[in-house]
Amino acid sequence: MLHRPLRLRLDRAALVANWRWLADLSGTACGAAVKADGYGLGAREVTMALHAAGCRDFFVSTWDEALRLGSIPESASLSVLHGVGADDVSAALASTARPVLNSAAQVARWKEAAPGWPCDVMIDTGMNRLGVRPEDIAVLDGLVIDTLMSHLACADEDHPLNAAQLERFRVVAAEVPAKRTSLANSAGVLLGRDFAFDLVRPGLALYGGIPRSEAKGHIRQVAHPEAQVVQRRTAHAGESVGYGATFIAERDTELAILNIGYADGYFRSFTGHGGAAFDGKSLPLAGRVSMDLVAIDCSETPEVGEGDWIELLFDLPTAAAGTGMSQYELLTGLADRFERRWV
Ligand SMILES: *Cc1c(COP(=O)(O)O)cnc(C)c1O
């Protein structure tokens, strides 16, 4: 592989520690959502690291993602959240993954294509996104259901829908025979053990996201973007920096130009908030984020020069507050140009 001037340092120990913390807190089996290529970090590496730590249940969105994950250990179970559409039947039959059936049409399709094969089922308890409605559960008769699940719409808030969804799910779970039941995503785990059932399905918090304040101080950052300095230069007092000339140097300002930009998922909304750290000193952004470059003020760090690696600040809750983007968007936006380096 050619040298890449930007890399994502990925902290395996932090990923595993986050999973362990969520597993202990839930008091039940803890799986992992690895859709969207493990929220941008790399689904295969995440899956193998968490499997080694004891995680057994993994979730992707599509059959293409299931295939790209490659072969996983026999002791691991993989579920495909979008279920089985008309174009997915042959992929589903060729795969060891289970579909999460989401509608009466998908249920009928699975009964016909794979009678007696295990599946998972999503019940819609109030999100109106995917899932069989509670009044329609008669269509599930005859399925061999491994995991019966539902998904919380507002678990990251204190919202009355949380208790309502919990109650609706309990009613359905008492009526529909299944090997296991599952309701909670990351934020749902933080709502308490009432929400845990037999299996929890965190995604975001595994990767360093903090969906609710209860996780503060427990969940560690996993993804650390680092970019190389292309050049160091001086903007003289009164000169501007970058597109739109939005940054004017008040005094002679030393800049490091870094090999990262919005095409890498370091979005323009970091402008005015983002920055870097070097040797404990903070290096704020100067001017707008470009497609492939940013400028940081390195006046305080004379030792920074061409070729040095600089870590951008990417603490997810802080970055989300500054940019107005969600922690999910920030993670999944991290683009292919990074060399992903697990340490
Ligand atoms: C993405 C997803 C999860 C994980 O959600 P997080 O909020 O990232 O923890 C769990 N269950 C389902 C059905 C999902 O789609």
Side-chain angles (χ1 to χ4, degrees), residues 55-317:
C55 182
R56 291 294 175 265
D57 295 278
F58 298 89
F59 299 85
V60 291
S61 287
T62 65
W63 294 95
D64 180 59
E65 287 185 346
L67 193 69
R68 281 166 194 265
L69 194 53
S71 71
I72 56 170
E74 227 168 272
S75 55
S77 135
L78 182 63
S79 299
V80 177
L81 290 164
H82 293 188
V84 63
D87 301 325
D88 297 324
V89 174
S90 57
L93 293 178
S95 171
T96 55
R98 293 188 304 276
V100 180
L101 304 178
N102 281 302
S103 65
Q106 289 197 349
V107 169
R109 187 173 292 127
W110 190 245
K111 281 183 183 170
E112 192 189 322
W117 283 31
C119 60
D120 298 339
V121 168
M122 175 67 71
I123 302 294
D124 174 29
T125 54
M127 191 163 181
N128 265 311
R129 189 176 66 171
L130 296 177
V132 175
R133 296 181 67 99
E135 61 268 31
D136 297 334
I137 54 172
V139 302
L140 305 176
D141 274 357
L143 287 178
V144 178
I145 302 175
D146 183 290
T147 307
L148 183 73
M149 62 182 90
S150 188
H151 191 51
L152 296 164
C154 308
D156 53 354
E157 300 167 40
D158 292 325
H159 193 289
L161 195 50
N162 293 328
Q165 287 196 270
L166 175 61
E167 188 47 37
R168 286 175 207 152
F169 187 58
R170 279 185 176 144
V171 170
V172 173
E175 285 179 38
V176 176
K179 209 160 96 185
R180 303 184 294 179
T181 50
S182 174
L183 177 62
N185 61 346
S186 301
V189 174
L190 303 172
L191 289 177
R193 290 193 173 182
D194 282 353
F195 288 79
F197 292 86
D198 301 322
L199 170 69
V200 294
R201 314 183 303 267
L204 181 74
L206 297 172
Y207 309 114
I210 310 273
R212 296 179 58 94
S213 59
E214 292 89 339
K216 265 186 214 150
H218 300 286
I219 292 296
R220 288 160 56 185
Q221 185 175 347
V222 177
H224 300 262
E226 299 173 343
Q228 243 179 335
V229 176
V230 185
Q231 62 177 229
R232 187 181 170 106
R233 59 190 301 125
T234 307
H236 294 295
E239 290 178 350
S240 68
V241 178
Y243 283 121
T246 56
F247 179 92
I248 311 286
E250 284 174 16
R251 63 190 89 85
D252 286 1
T253 302
E254 292 293 300
L255 301 172
I257 312 300
L258 305 184
N259 225 311
I260 189 170
Y262 61 76
D264 303 302
Y266 192 76
F267 295 110
R268 245 172 69 123
S269 49
F270 276 99
T271 304
H273 305 277
F278 192 88
D279 266 356
K281 297 193 185 94
S282 95
L283 296 78
L285 285 189
R288 279 190 194 155
V289 175
S290 297
M291 184 185 294
D292 315 300
L293 296 166
V294 296
I296 55 173
D297 181 341
C298 61
S299 305
E300 305 293 311
T301 49
E303 67 274 35
V304 167
E306 181 183 337
D308 284 341
W309 287 93
I310 303 287
E311 176 172 346
L312 280 298
L313 300 176
F314 206 70
D315 168 68
L316 287 167

